[in-house]
Amino acid sequence: MKIGLFFGSFNPVHIGHLIIANVMVETTDIDQVWFVVSPQNPFKKRKSLLHEFDRFDMVNSAIFDNYSLRATDIEFNMPKPSYTIDTLVYLTEKHPDYSFKLIIGEDNLRRFPKWKNHDKILDQYGLYVYPRPDSKPSEVNDHPNVKMVEAPMLDISATFIRNCVKKGQSIKYLVPDSVEEMIRGKKFYL
């Protein structure tokens, strides 16, 4: 089985994430997309993140009815900050019958050569890349293991959603109803 790994803080998970995951399953050879909820992204400040279990619960509530999408907390018990290559190696050892691919936005390609063991990720796993606004070409665009995937170009950000919540503005249609209920009910991002 070919698994697309969609890493992120998902702070919160939103419609853009779900559309990209669904496009990957429906239009490529990926069988399932696993949302890898990261406890701490090395490029993000920890204080802006909700607790990882809350973010994991939001992802699960967003995808509960889609067998092709799954949330994983695999990084919660790994050393922090988590690095993508370490998670890929661990998952490969744990699931030797699965083939793992990394799903990333085109805006991350320029920084990709700075990732830990980026060459190993490219050679042994490969990237499925979805378009992002204002992305510039990268040195890895033409790598044989980089697959550009046609998908809607959505510029929805979790930061925008968090700011709407802080201002008391509606987030309807930006997140699934179940996620909005969790955010409102638990007073996240206030």
Side-chain angles (χ1 to χ4, degrees):
M1 185 153 58
K2 191 173 284 188
I3 307 296
L5 298 176
F6 196 3
F7 286 75
S9 301
F10 304 112
N11 189 34
V13 63
H14 55 68
I15 295 300
H17 297 130
L18 300 174
I19 290 171
I20 294 301
N22 196 60
V23 164
M24 291 294 168
V25 168
E26 294 296 327
T27 69
T28 72
D29 57 351
I30 288 176
D31 299 301
Q32 283 187 344
V33 170
W34 292 4
F35 287 78
V36 182
V37 180
S38 301
Q40 182 182 353
N41 177 325
F43 297 108
K44 292 188 179 179
K45 291 188 170 116
R46 184 158 177 76
K47 66 180 181 178
S48 66
L49 292 178
L50 274 187
H51 192 279
E52 56 229 39
F53 293 121
D54 292 322
R55 292 181 286 115
F56 180 72
D57 288 346
M58 283 193 286
V59 172
N60 269 321
S61 78
I63 63 172
F64 80 95
D65 61 347
N66 188 334
Y67 173 75
S68 299
L69 307 180
R70 181 178 150 193
T72 178
D73 60 1
I74 197 80
E75 290 192 334
F76 290 9
N77 297 312
M78 294 179 70
K80 293 170 185 66
S82 3
Y83 292 95
T84 302
I85 186 60
D86 298 332
T87 306
L88 284 164
V89 168
Y90 180 78
L91 283 170
T92 301
E93 290 169 0
K94 190 172 177 181
H95 303 284
D97 295 339
Y98 292 178
S99 168
F100 293 100
K101 302 295 178 187
L102 182 60
I103 297 170
I104 68 170
E106 191 175 10
D107 54 331
N108 285 317
L109 278 185
R110 285 183 69 82
R111 278 193 312 200
F112 185 74
K114 292 183 164 81
W115 289 25
K116 180 181 175 186
N117 294 75
H118 77 280
D119 49 345
K120 185 176 179 183
I121 294 172
L122 274 176
D123 295 338
Q124 294 183 12
Y125 299 97
L127 307 179
Y128 281 55
V129 181
Y130 58 91
R132 291 286 292 145
D134 303 320
S135 296
K136 308 236 182 321
S138 160
E139 62 188 73
V140 298
N141 275 68
D142 296 326
H143 191 283
N145 287 339
V146 172
K147 179 177 179 140
M148 303 304 285
V149 178
E150 187 178 340
M153 198 171 318
L154 303 164
D155 198 11
I156 300 171
S157 79
T159 302
F160 177 81
I161 294 167
R162 291 192 305 270
N163 287 337
C164 285
V165 172
K166 283 178 195 163
K167 295 174 188 173
Q169 297 169 340
S170 173
I171 56 172
K172 190 165 190 62
Y173 308 121
L174 293 171
V175 298
D177 292 342
S178 61
V179 171
E180 182 179 12
E181 286 171 23
M182 290 180 77
I183 290 170
R184 301 285 183 214
K186 295 187 177 193
K187 299 185 180 356
F188 291 155
Y189 310 120
L190 292 176

